[in-house]
Amino acid sequence: PVSEADMAVNHFLAEELARARPDYGWLSEESENDPARLQRPRVFIVDPIDGTRGFIKGSDEWTISIAVAEGAEVRAGVIRNPLKGESFTATSGGGAHCNGAVLKVTERARIEGARVAAAKGAVRPLGAAAEQLQRRYIPSLAYRFALVARGDFDASLSAGNAHEWDIAAASLIVEEAGGRVTHGDGKRPGFNKAQPTVGPLIAAGATLHAALRKQYATG
């Protein structure tokens, strides 16, 4: 679904960010995909409201996600939860923070009992191990990853229906908090692609990430 708020936030950000950085490209969920962005050295990757279904239902777990990519790499990211007053931020090599506090992923190693923020379909590839998780669904995928970075959850998994704007800022925030974000084959996602779709991802601290990857491969 797309609400009037999605379009209003998109319009506001497009105007303000273009004014601040007129030479940057633009990729947003609520804007037409402009191939000209592929020729720009830097690009904004924006989700005006991530978790629109939750927003419409009155949830406080939706976010605004903004990232700056340089080539295929995200260099800066912000995830804002307006209702909770939370601003998750990260810069490449500069660490991750929430309202100024340093973020760090958990050091959990075992899948059994791990706190995982994910949709049911995203953990299904783990097979029987999925039943051993403490799983909770959160409407915003970006927020799920941000909460992993803060240590509220041990991990998050996404299904294969995500796009760059869902996870661009979030992936950098997790990585700068000491975690890993990769596909099942261990490759990190790339950004500012012609087709901005993203395959399934695993976000977690290094040890649990390795365990989840192994389980993901065997089911």
Side-chain angles (χ1 to χ4, degrees):
V2 179
S3 70
E4 291 182 7
D6 288 84
M7 303 309 298
V9 173
N10 189 65
H11 179 71
F12 172 78
L13 292 176
E15 282 197 340
E16 293 296 317
L17 295 177
R19 185 180 297 116
R21 298 289 186 271
D23 56 328
Y24 283 26
W26 179 260
L27 174 63
S28 169
E29 182 176 21
E30 309 305 346
S31 298
E32 185 176 352
N33 189 356
D34 182 3
R37 66 181 168 80
L38 301 173
Q39 308 306 318
R40 301 291 182 92
R42 296 184 181 90
V43 59
F44 287 114
I45 304 177
V46 175
D47 195 341
I49 295 183
D50 186 52
T52 301
R53 287 183 176 86
F55 169 79
I56 291 172
K57 293 178 179 179
S59 168
D60 62 359
E61 293 180 325
W62 55 273
T63 59
I64 299 165
S65 178
I66 306 170
V68 174
E70 187 175 56
E73 295 287 333
V74 175
R75 299 302 185 191
V78 177
I79 296 172
R80 173 70 178 172
N81 182 322
L83 295 186
K84 293 191 174 185
E86 297 169 334
S87 292
F88 297 84
T89 60
T91 55
S92 183
H97 302 80
C98 179
N99 296 352
V102 175
L103 301 181
K104 191 177 188 308
V105 298
T106 70
E107 298 180 358
R108 186 179 184 85
R110 294 175 59 83
I111 293 176
E112 294 81 9
R115 300 164 300 161
V116 175
K120 187 180 295 185
V123 301
R124 193 170 293 130
L126 297 175
E131 301 301 320
Q132 301 171 339
L133 303 172
Q134 298 181 56
R135 185 187 66 83
R136 188 163 89 80
Y137 175 73
I138 291 172
S140 166
L141 175 55
Y143 196 44
R144 294 174 217 165
F145 277 35
L147 295 179
V148 171
R150 194 166 66 184
D152 294 22
F153 289 88
D154 301 306
S156 181
L157 291 86
S158 69
N161 56 352
H163 292 78
E164 290 185 21
W165 46 76
D166 297 309
I167 57 96
S171 63
L172 179 65
I173 291 169
V174 172
E175 289 178 342
E176 288 295 323
R180 296 199 65 203
V181 179
T182 75
H183 301 294
D185 60 5
K187 293 181 180 178
R188 296 171 64 244
F191 296 93
N192 196 28
K193 305 187 302 290
Q195 295 297 324
T197 54
V198 180
L201 293 171
I202 301 168
T207 307
L208 181 58
H209 182 278
L212 288 168
R213 265 194 64 207
K214 182 178 179 180
Q215 184 63 36
Y216 200 87
T218 61

